[in-house]
Amino acid sequence: MSLMESPLYQDAVKQLEESASIMGLDPNIMERLKYPKRALQVAVPIRLDDGTVKTFQGFRVQHNMTLGPGKGGIRFHPKVDLSETAGLAMLMTFKCALVGLPLGGAKGGISVDPSTLSRQELQALTRRYTTEINMIVGPNIDIPAPDIGTDGQTMAWFMDTYSQLKGYTVPGVVTGKPITVGGSLGRAEATGKGVAFCVNFAAEKMGMKIGSNTTVAIHGFGKVGVPAAEDLRDQGAKIVAISDVSGAVYNKDGIDIDKASSFTKRGGLLKDLPNVEHISNAELLALDVDILIPAAIDGVITEENADTVKAKMIAEGANGPLTKEAIEIIAKKGTFIIPDILCNAGGVIVSYFEWVQGLQNFFWDLDQINSKLHDILKDAFENVYEAHQEYKVDMKKAAFIAAFKRLMRAMRYRGLFPG
Ligand code: NAD
């Protein structure tokens, strides 16, 4: 597959071009942003438990590093390819710029179904991949993190392998590590907490008060969906529906989130959750609720089902859950959409805190982390809202515009080498 072939890359470029033309982004800068700075494809051979050798395809793409070292997750998923990884790296550039981090955009991954590998095979895969990309990562170059199919254990193996190669411990090479090997308090729930903060900022603009009359539906009850549900429940909101890949559940009086999350954390599927009404994922997306949080995967609301969505506010917890066309249809109805690069930026913000703590070997307490997370997201939200009003565009385009403003200034100051 060529670099620009995937729908995700093409969608990212389309959004870049549209928002750039609305704000009058310097065409020379737009031209540079359309392509990644560096893309590395590697073969990752490992010996399987049965003694045979299997080779997987791995990638690491650095899109733009004007603002600082690259930052972005590592995804283990069968659909990972060079083009999708490049598109996701581009979105990371815009996300980091939007929330004002001194970081650029990167992404990586291996085309593999991790559920088919044993723990030992996964460890071998991670360590060999680290070795193959080690020349382009590092605490001052590019700092990976977990993404779909990877977790704190993967990051610990990555950090250990990189440290073995260097001869000393380098905690700042990855984020999302377990706390005992240099992880940060608050990182695991940061994305969901950030979603809940953004819901509150949006509610304020809409004159909506989050309380016992507020109804919420959450599509995707995982690492993002669960903490978002917990925070909004703690504020008094009623989480009336949640879903996972197996289906959705509904209770008009509110679902017991603690029971549901301990059920799914033990490996249960929501289709088997007792004492709730079972509905489909499509029905959940069409519920007449105040707030809908799509926090599962990309492309769940498209021009096909956009008309069925009745929520007053949509908080994009996942990356790209609404297609560009769906956003245009829904925004016209007056629905408040909190765009993904703002709404789910809590994860990369606390990853940034983890990186800083790792470089200083000095660790912060949870209150400090959550209050800094709140303040950074609040500033970013206000910048997006300002662009939304100034340019009279939907919040998604506004988020791109706010990100480009910062990036454009930095790229102009740094100039083009060799000039
Ligand atoms: P996860 O694997 O922990 O949870 C995903 C949830 O979605 C699970 O409940 C799963 O069953 C469900 N799901 C998967 N496919 C589905 C489908 N086809 N229909 C309905 N439900 C489905 O993943 P996560 O870390 O919570 O990530 C979710 C999304 O948020 C992804 O788009 C990810 O890129 C994005 N995101 C995650 C983070 C983070 O810190 N975890 C940060 C930024 C963005």
Side-chain angles (χ1 to χ4, degrees), residues 72 103 124 142 187 189 192 209 228 237 264 267 277 280 284 287 327 331-332 342 372 387 402:
L103 295 166
D142 179 4
R187 172 62 188 89
E189 60 278 15
K209 178 134 184 47
T264 54
E277 187 185 329
S280 67
L284 178 145
L287 284 174
I327 289 180
K332 270 196 201 119
L342 170 66
K372 284 187 200 303

Side-chain angles (χ1 to χ4, degrees), residues 75 95 147-148 187 191 219-225 243-245 281 295-298 317-319 344 347:
R75 184 173 286 197
K95 191 184 291 187
D147 195 73
I148 296 171
R187 172 62 188 89
T191 309
H219 179 261
F221 196 59
K223 293 191 288 291
V224 178
S243 77
D244 66 11
V245 69
N281 265 300
I297 46 157
D298 54 289
N319 283 318
N344 68 28

Side-chain angles (χ1 to χ4, degrees), residues 42-288:
V42 293
V44 190
I46 59 160
R47 192 174 300 282
L48 300 177
D49 294 344
D50 67 6
T52 60
V53 171
K54 187 162 180 187
T55 302
F56 297 87
Q57 293 306 307
F59 309 91
R60 185 73 190 171
V61 180
Q62 294 158 352
H63 173 256
N64 183 287
M65 290 152 115
T66 304
L67 293 169
K71 189 89 196 80
I74 291 172
R75 184 173 286 197
F76 286 180
H77 190 276
K79 273 176 45 198
V80 166
D81 59 44
L82 179 63
S83 179
E84 188 192 77
T85 308
L88 290 166
M90 185 186 294
L91 294 176
M92 283 306 297
T93 299
F94 304 152
K95 191 184 291 187
C96 291
L98 174 64
V99 293
L101 303 181
L103 295 166
K107 200 84 183 185
I110 300 179
S111 176
V112 58
D113 178 356
S115 69
T116 61
L117 298 185
S118 69
R119 182 184 158 84
Q120 179 48 39
E121 290 166 340
L122 275 174
Q123 179 170 176
L125 187 76
T126 306
R127 288 188 183 279
R128 183 63 191 245
Y129 170 70
T130 308
T131 312
E132 294 300 337
I133 67 164
N134 112 84
M135 74 289 277
I136 64 161
V137 295
N140 297 312
I141 309 170
D142 179 4
I143 308 123
D147 195 73
I148 296 171
T150 56
D151 57 14
Q153 176 61 81
T154 324
M155 295 305 110
W157 287 329
F158 194 110
M159 186 274 270
D160 184 71
T161 310
Y162 186 85
S163 300
Q164 300 285 347
L165 294 169
K166 290 284 163 198
Y168 52 90
T169 300
V170 189
V173 67
V174 282
T175 59
K177 301 179 292 297
I179 306 276
T180 45
V181 289
S184 174
L185 293 172
R187 172 62 188 89
E189 60 278 15
T191 309
K193 187 169 272 303
V195 170
F197 282 145
C198 287
V199 163
N200 276 272
F201 306 149
E204 209 182 299
K205 300 287 181 205
M206 295 166 73
M208 179 196 282
K209 178 134 184 47
I210 307 285
S212 58
N213 291 327
T214 315
T215 51
V216 184
I218 301 186
H219 179 261
F221 196 59
K223 293 191 288 291
V224 178
V226 172
E230 288 168 347
D231 268 30
L232 292 169
R233 183 266 327 264
D234 292 348
Q235 289 172 39
K238 234 184 267 171
I239 316 298
V240 295
I242 54 174
S243 77
D244 66 11
V245 69
S246 73
V249 296
Y250 176 79
N251 183 339
K252 69 174 174 35
D253 299 319
I255 285 163
D256 185 333
I257 292 302
D258 293 336
K259 255 195 203 146
S261 70
S262 61
F263 182 78
T264 54
K265 277 175 192 157
R266 285 196 312 268
L269 287 172
L270 289 177
K271 73 174 174 50
D272 302 319
L273 188 74
N275 307 323
V276 282
E277 187 185 329
H278 291 267
I279 59 173
S280 67
N281 265 300
E283 286 170 314
L284 178 145
L285 295 171
L287 284 174
D288 191 359

Side-chain angles (χ1 to χ4, degrees), residues 95 98-99 194-195 198 201 316 336-346 349 376-382 384-385 395 399:
K95 191 184 291 187
L98 174 64
V99 293
V195 170
C198 287
F201 306 149
E316 285 194 306
F336 197 110
I337 300 172
I338 312 169
D340 52 2
I341 61 169
L342 170 66
C343 194
N344 68 28
I349 294 170
I376 290 178
L377 275 174
K378 176 79 177 150
D379 272 1
F381 187 95
E382 291 302 333
V384 175
Y385 194 73
M395 288 284 285

